[in-house]
Amino acid sequence: MPDLLLELRSEEIPARMQRKAAGDLRKMLTDGLVEAGLTYEAAREYWTPRRLTLDIRGLTARSKDISEEIKGPSTTAPEPAVQGFLRKAGLSSVAEAHVHSDPKKGDFYVAHISKPGRAAEEIIAELVPGIIRNFPWPKSMRWGPASAKPGSLRWVRPLQSILCTFGPETEEPVVVDFEIDGIRSGNTTYGHRFLAPGEITVRRFDDYVSKLEAAKVVLDADRRKEIILADARNLAFANGLDLVEDDGLLEEVSGLVEWPVVLMGEFEEAFLAIPAEVIRLTIRANQKCFVTRPQGEGDALSNRFILTSNIEARDGGKEIAHGNGKVVRARLSDALYFWTTDQGDLPDLGQLEASAKKFGLDLKKPLDQRMARLDHLGVTFHAKLGTQGERVERIVRLAQELAPIVGADPALAARAAILAKADLTTEVVGEFPELQGAMGRKYALLQGEHSSVAAAIEEHYKPQGPSDYVPRDPVSVAVALADKLDTLVGFWAIDEKPTGSKDPYALRRAALGVVRTILENKLKLSLGVAIAAAISSALAVYEQKGEGAESRGVVAMLDSRIRDYKGTSQLLSEAGLISNLLKGGLANASAETFGSADQEREFFDGQRLMELNASLSPFIADLVAFFHDRLKVYLRDQGARHDLIDAVITPQSDDLLQIVRRVEALGSFLDTEDGKNLLAGTKRAANILAAEEKKKTAVAETVEPALFKENAEKTLFAAVNQAEKQAGEAIQNEDFSAAMLALSALREPVDSFFEGVLVNDEDLAVRANRLALLTRIRAATGQVADFSKIAG
């Protein structure tokens, strides 16, 4: 069967666009071929900086002839119906249609459509120009004299030639002839721009690859990556060094060269005083080079770097390496200046005393100075959510509240939260924003901060994705949770929630970070109260600022939603209840939580709790539901069944660790024979109840043993009472395996009940009593999960 070779050659395509563009080309062309009635055996895309190539094997030479009948309306149908049929069938009048008769339906129109097959070359010549004109480049350009004409061709960089051949291996392939904006397809291409720029005539893919290789072009991007990585490792090893590997940089560099040549450059050892992360980023961002480290010396870098050239120089690459070294040295000189400047005093130190006093900062310390400047300058976090300084105040309060729950020292958590954003005003982070947090940690250690404080400055941003690590140090955990909860509460307050695929403030990532931090640190934390604590922290910050301050920032948004919460917030703060409530939530609060029965009564019996529930609950419930969505994604990625997750989660579920343990216990239980049978019995009971409730059949409010007629009823009633009691106690102790074990005792009584008892007895009182017994089954199992949502 024939094969198709297509190459679109242009000026250099940006490396970040190449892989996706090649994939788009494959999809667009293969989809078009299939839609036109052709089939193919295999298709693979290739790319270099100057070309996108597609190799399609086993393409059918011609599409099939098509004969079909399109049934139309009755011959007596209204004119609009007849016209619609004609348009659908592609007929110009009813004279072109046939009339068929049906004994029941009478006469109706039928269109007999015959479409002859088309040659593959014809289809390809029609498809490719359209694909080129409508190619989904993120950015494209026009060029040359033709660019002044309306509708002129746009491409990522000027398109220079099109190669398109088609034919079987046993015959000479033909050129699929077409033209687009003066560029006519052919069977020629060109080699490396400098090393072999001459024209090359090719026949099919194998011939094309070998001739390009001879012309100093490695077509396969993965092979270019292998060459670069292997040569870089070998060159480093030969010089007593190890390559610091970087997959992202390797992908980018492989898209910058067609003929990779690996060289080594160097810079002065004095620059090694700069932190390794800064050196690596400087060289990576500016010169696209890899760094190296001495063999067996940990994370310390060497003063040698690896670069990838696109040419074989006559001098072995000495001048290329020397030129790159000059640029690297200039960039590292800037980085050294940034590094040393960040450790000195700020020129506006005298203006920072008010901010230093507010946060308890020591202006003799560089990082404290940077935090004071962040607050003093009033750097905006978000126009509706106040400044970075105000945000830090909120995070500090919330981190202190969370610290006891995660096992952290509140004082260390507060200090870490105060300094967490300080490096945003440093010179290094200004140059390399991706080093925020990492530089703060280094500067914190240099000025003698506690190791946990320094770690939290870097780790409070974590995790930043599903594969990123989760902080483990308790101080880091407290600040990380406070930072993300404050972000979520703030953006929820101003109604900037994610919509569809849009999430400009990365709120899904923040919520997933909270979920992973709680679960992977096995924290028992009430999300509802944690959200309330975040709100309380925001309100407390603005209450301190005096009259009129509440019209700014997050409080202005929260005020209209939870106006009545302020009194409760004050009570929570004055009584020191937030930390206690965080441990168990409002549902489990007791006199011990409040410190005294009087305080408990003041809170629960007063109007304040009613105001809290009425005004705050919908806000919290909406945010908790968002966390539930992220939890479902996380658990599904971990292999949990979606139906088990849905069966366990309720709108009131705000203890994530408890949800996970329930899902695990439920999954283990349903893998047993008892679990499978009980599921079947429980679903049967639920289905009967649902049907009878829909018919508004009477169901007794309680089960009356005196109405039992069968032993199976008595046995089931006793078993339900026992299982309900034992399962409830186990759940109270959060022993979900024991709760499942208690429910397993229902398996045999439920089976016997349905085998020997007719639920819909003729006696209405007996029927209502038996339906009440089924309700008890549903209630007993419902303590653990909603079995009706479980598949099977």
Side-chain angles (χ1 to χ4, degrees), residues 6 8 25 28-29 121-135 151 153-155 159 162 164 176-181 183-185:
L6 174 67
L8 306 177
L25 177 63
M28 293 174 77
L29 185 53
E121 298 98 303
E122 181 185 343
I123 294 171
I124 295 164
E126 184 180 281
L127 278 175
V128 176
I131 290 171
I132 293 173
R133 285 199 179 276
N134 299 297
F135 203 80
L153 178 64
R154 300 181 69 93
W155 198 244
L159 188 62
I162 302 171
C164 191
V176 180
D177 186 45
F178 56 87
E179 182 180 347
I180 180 167
D181 272 30
I183 304 172
R184 182 165 291 280
S185 59

Side-chain angles (χ1 to χ4, degrees), residues 681-744:
T682 303
K683 289 176 80 83
R684 184 174 177 183
N687 291 336
I688 292 171
L689 278 170
E692 296 304 319
E693 287 168 349
K694 189 175 182 180
K695 293 188 290 187
K696 297 184 178 179
T697 304
V699 180
E701 291 186 9
T702 60
V703 178
E704 180 53 61
L707 292 173
F708 291 155
K709 292 182 177 180
E710 307 290 342
N711 287 332
E713 292 178 274
K714 300 174 185 177
T715 304
L716 177 58
F717 182 60
V720 167
N721 286 336
Q722 182 72 6
E724 196 170 43
K725 179 175 178 291
Q726 291 179 348
E729 291 173 351
I731 290 170
Q732 195 69 27
N733 296 325
E734 298 198 3
D735 188 346
F736 300 109
S737 296
M740 297 298 171
L741 183 63
L743 291 181
S744 68

